[in-house]
Amino acid sequence: MDSALIAAVRRFNRTVTQRVGALDDEYMAQGRPLGQARLLWEIGPAGAEVAALRARLGLDSGYLSRLLRTLENDGLVTVAPADQTGADGRVRVATLTDAGRTEWTQLDQRSDDLAASILEPLTDHRRERLVAAMAEVERLLIGSMIVIEPCPPSDPRARACLRAYARDVARLFDDGFDPTLSNPVNDEELVPPAGVLLLATLNSEPIGCGAVKLPRDAPAEIKRVWVADTVRGLGVGRRLLGELERYAAERGVRAVRLDTNRNLTEAIALYRATGYREIEAYNTEHYAHHWFEKQLGR
């Protein structure tokens, strides 16, 4: 990694933490540090499941428990099992008390005031530049928070992604998508050493997937690459593709193939941009119009 890039990121982090008051013992004069204030904000008037808070904020469970205990002791929050009929008693929910809602409202107003104080010294043009730059930084930071790792195809999160894939292609294909007409991708083909399914998650929530089959008697084949609309434009599809190629290459595969439908224009553009070349049809996939191959290790 370029040391100049590392230094630039560190300098940016120092500037931001100082400007937003993250170093203060009492964040925005609320009488509590930033960690407690942010957790109070995330719980919000509607309340939140503790597991969701942990995933959303990326906090260690022990640290989150200590933060919640402090807010409980201050009379701002209650933590109890979900009380919905038939709810899993192990699911805990954090809820603001009346005092907590009052402090949340104050925090909300002071957050607006802080944002206004950052923008106020700037001209209108510079305000627009700053907000646009912030939006770009936010998107790129979100992209850096996405985790891609192997996942059993039977995992509920993987199942959810594969169902979303089927829904999306059914909407995009000219004649819909009937899985019974498509070449099957069986679970056993996506379990090592036969292959792998990679799951992309953001704050522990599934937002993409992709698979590669590594049959002994046929070329390796990439299948079921899907990315949620909510994270389009963050390079998740390219990352998934690259990780699938790397996985195959590390196992001695010299080339990977894939097929695709003519209506998946963004996917086709990605394949061509990342070194895939179009080849003759290598299978009888009902929904395929294009077939591609890429040599690995070059």
Side-chain angles (χ1 to χ4, degrees), residues 39-62:
L39 180 57
L40 185 75
W41 168 263
E42 291 293 341
I43 294 170
E49 292 184 3
V50 173
L53 290 169
R54 184 170 62 247
R56 193 184 311 158
L57 296 174
L59 296 178
D60 171 81
S61 58

Short mmCIF file of all heavy atoms in Angstrom, two decimals, residues 39-62:
data_model
loop_
_atom_site.label_atom_id
_atom_site.label_comp_id
_atom_site.label_asym_id
_atom_site.label_seq_id
_atom_site.Cartn_x
_atom_site.Cartn_y
_atom_site.Cartn_z
N LEU A 39 -24.86 5.48 20.39
CA LEU A 39 -25.75 4.35 20.68
C LEU A 39 -27.15 4.83 21.01
O LEU A 39 -28.14 4.26 20.52
CB LEU A 39 -25.19 3.52 21.84
CG LEU A 39 -26.02 2.30 22.25
CD1 LEU A 39 -26.24 1.34 21.08
CD2 LEU A 39 -25.36 1.57 23.41
N LEU A 40 -27.25 5.89 21.80
CA LEU A 40 -28.56 6.46 22.12
C LEU A 40 -29.29 6.87 20.84
O LEU A 40 -30.49 6.62 20.66
CB LEU A 40 -28.40 7.67 23.04
CG LEU A 40 -29.69 8.30 23.57
CD1 LEU A 40 -30.29 7.44 24.66
CD2 LEU A 40 -29.42 9.72 24.08
N TRP A 41 -28.54 7.50 19.93
CA TRP A 41 -29.13 7.92 18.66
C TRP A 41 -29.63 6.73 17.86
O TRP A 41 -30.73 6.76 17.31
CB TRP A 41 -28.11 8.70 17.84
CG TRP A 41 -28.55 8.91 16.44
CD1 TRP A 41 -28.22 8.18 15.34
CD2 TRP A 41 -29.50 9.88 15.97
NE1 TRP A 41 -28.86 8.63 14.23
CE2 TRP A 41 -29.66 9.67 14.58
CE3 TRP A 41 -30.20 10.90 16.59
CZ2 TRP A 41 -30.51 10.46 13.82
CZ3 TRP A 41 -31.05 11.69 15.82
CH2 TRP A 41 -31.19 11.47 14.45
N GLU A 42 -28.84 5.66 17.79
CA GLU A 42 -29.21 4.50 16.99
C GLU A 42 -30.41 3.77 17.56
O GLU A 42 -31.20 3.19 16.82
CB GLU A 42 -28.02 3.54 16.86
CG GLU A 42 -26.87 4.06 16.02
CD GLU A 42 -27.23 4.21 14.55
OE1 GLU A 42 -28.23 3.59 14.10
OE2 GLU A 42 -26.52 4.96 13.84
N ILE A 43 -30.56 3.76 18.88
CA ILE A 43 -31.75 3.14 19.48
C ILE A 43 -32.98 3.90 19.02
O ILE A 43 -33.96 3.31 18.55
CB ILE A 43 -31.63 3.12 21.01
CG1 ILE A 43 -30.48 2.21 21.43
CG2 ILE A 43 -32.95 2.67 21.65
CD1 ILE A 43 -30.14 2.29 22.91
N GLY A 44 -32.95 5.23 19.15
CA GLY A 44 -34.00 6.08 18.61
C GLY A 44 -35.36 5.88 19.24
O GLY A 44 -35.58 4.96 20.03
N PRO A 45 -36.31 6.73 18.90
CA PRO A 45 -37.66 6.65 19.47
C PRO A 45 -38.36 5.32 19.22
O PRO A 45 -39.22 4.92 20.00
CB PRO A 45 -38.39 7.81 18.80
CG PRO A 45 -37.32 8.77 18.40
CD PRO A 45 -36.14 7.91 18.04
N ALA A 46 -38.02 4.64 18.13
CA ALA A 46 -38.69 3.39 17.80
C ALA A 46 -38.08 2.18 18.51
O ALA A 46 -38.65 1.10 18.49
CB ALA A 46 -38.65 3.16 16.29
N GLY A 47 -36.90 2.35 19.15
CA GLY A 47 -36.23 1.22 19.77
C GLY A 47 -35.51 0.37 18.72
O GLY A 47 -35.68 0.57 17.51
N ALA A 48 -34.71 -0.59 19.18
CA ALA A 48 -33.95 -1.42 18.25
C ALA A 48 -33.53 -2.71 18.94
O ALA A 48 -33.29 -2.73 20.15
CB ALA A 48 -32.71 -0.68 17.75
N GLU A 49 -33.43 -3.79 18.15
CA GLU A 49 -32.92 -5.04 18.68
C GLU A 49 -31.43 -4.90 18.98
O GLU A 49 -30.69 -4.27 18.21
CB GLU A 49 -33.14 -6.18 17.68
CG GLU A 49 -34.60 -6.55 17.48
CD GLU A 49 -34.76 -7.74 16.56
OE1 GLU A 49 -33.72 -8.31 16.13
OE2 GLU A 49 -35.91 -8.11 16.27
N VAL A 50 -31.00 -5.48 20.08
CA VAL A 50 -29.61 -5.37 20.48
C VAL A 50 -28.69 -5.97 19.42
O VAL A 50 -27.64 -5.41 19.09
CB VAL A 50 -29.40 -6.04 21.84
CG1 VAL A 50 -27.91 -6.10 22.19
CG2 VAL A 50 -30.17 -5.29 22.93
N ALA A 51 -29.08 -7.12 18.85
CA ALA A 51 -28.25 -7.75 17.82
C ALA A 51 -28.11 -6.84 16.60
O ALA A 51 -27.04 -6.77 15.98
CB ALA A 51 -28.85 -9.09 17.41
N ALA A 52 -29.19 -6.14 16.25
CA ALA A 52 -29.13 -5.23 15.10
C ALA A 52 -28.21 -4.05 15.39
O ALA A 52 -27.48 -3.59 14.52
CB ALA A 52 -30.54 -4.74 14.76
N LEU A 53 -28.25 -3.56 16.63
CA LEU A 53 -27.36 -2.46 17.01
C LEU A 53 -25.90 -2.89 16.92
O LEU A 53 -25.05 -2.15 16.43
CB LEU A 53 -27.67 -2.01 18.45
CG LEU A 53 -29.00 -1.30 18.67
CD1 LEU A 53 -29.28 -1.17 20.16
CD2 LEU A 53 -28.99 0.08 18.00
N ARG A 54 -25.62 -4.11 17.39
CA ARG A 54 -24.25 -4.61 17.35
C ARG A 54 -23.75 -4.71 15.91
O ARG A 54 -22.63 -4.31 15.60
CB ARG A 54 -24.17 -5.97 18.03
CG ARG A 54 -22.76 -6.53 18.12
CD ARG A 54 -22.69 -7.76 19.00
NE ARG A 54 -23.51 -8.85 18.49
CZ ARG A 54 -24.60 -9.33 19.09
NH1 ARG A 54 -25.02 -8.79 20.22
NH2 ARG A 54 -25.28 -10.33 18.57
N ALA A 55 -24.60 -5.22 15.03
CA ALA A 55 -24.20 -5.35 13.63
C ALA A 55 -24.07 -4.00 12.96
O ALA A 55 -23.12 -3.74 12.22
CB ALA A 55 -25.22 -6.22 12.89
N ARG A 56 -25.02 -3.11 13.22
CA ARG A 56 -25.03 -1.81 12.57
C ARG A 56 -23.82 -0.97 12.95
O ARG A 56 -23.26 -0.24 12.12
CB ARG A 56 -26.32 -1.07 12.95
CG ARG A 56 -26.62 0.16 12.11
CD ARG A 56 -27.87 0.86 12.66
NE ARG A 56 -28.95 -0.09 12.87
CZ ARG A 56 -29.97 0.13 13.70
NH1 ARG A 56 -30.04 1.26 14.40
NH2 ARG A 56 -30.93 -0.77 13.84
N LEU A 57 -23.42 -1.04 14.22
CA LEU A 57 -22.33 -0.21 14.70
C LEU A 57 -20.99 -0.94 14.70
O LEU A 57 -19.95 -0.34 14.97
CB LEU A 57 -22.64 0.28 16.12
CG LEU A 57 -23.86 1.21 16.22
CD1 LEU A 57 -24.16 1.52 17.68
CD2 LEU A 57 -23.64 2.49 15.44
N GLY A 58 -21.01 -2.25 14.41
CA GLY A 58 -19.78 -3.01 14.38
C GLY A 58 -19.10 -3.10 15.73
O GLY A 58 -17.87 -3.06 15.82
N LEU A 59 -19.90 -3.23 16.80
CA LEU A 59 -19.36 -3.22 18.15
C LEU A 59 -19.20 -4.64 18.70
O LEU A 59 -20.00 -5.52 18.42
CB LEU A 59 -20.29 -2.44 19.09
CG LEU A 59 -20.45 -0.95 18.79
CD1 LEU A 59 -21.43 -0.33 19.77
CD2 LEU A 59 -19.11 -0.23 18.84
N ASP A 60 -18.16 -4.82 19.50
CA ASP A 60 -17.99 -6.05 20.26
C ASP A 60 -19.17 -6.19 21.23
O ASP A 60 -19.62 -5.20 21.82
CB ASP A 60 -16.67 -5.98 21.03
CG ASP A 60 -16.52 -7.12 22.00
OD1 ASP A 60 -16.13 -8.22 21.58
OD2 ASP A 60 -16.82 -6.90 23.20
N SER A 61 -19.66 -7.40 21.40
CA SER A 61 -20.85 -7.61 22.24
C SER A 61 -20.61 -7.17 23.67
O SER A 61 -21.51 -6.61 24.32
CB SER A 61 -21.28 -9.07 22.19
OG SER A 61 -20.25 -9.92 22.63
N GLY A 62 -19.39 -7.39 24.19
CA GLY A 62 -19.09 -6.97 25.56
C GLY A 62 -19.11 -5.47 25.71
O GLY A 62 -19.66 -4.93 26.69
#
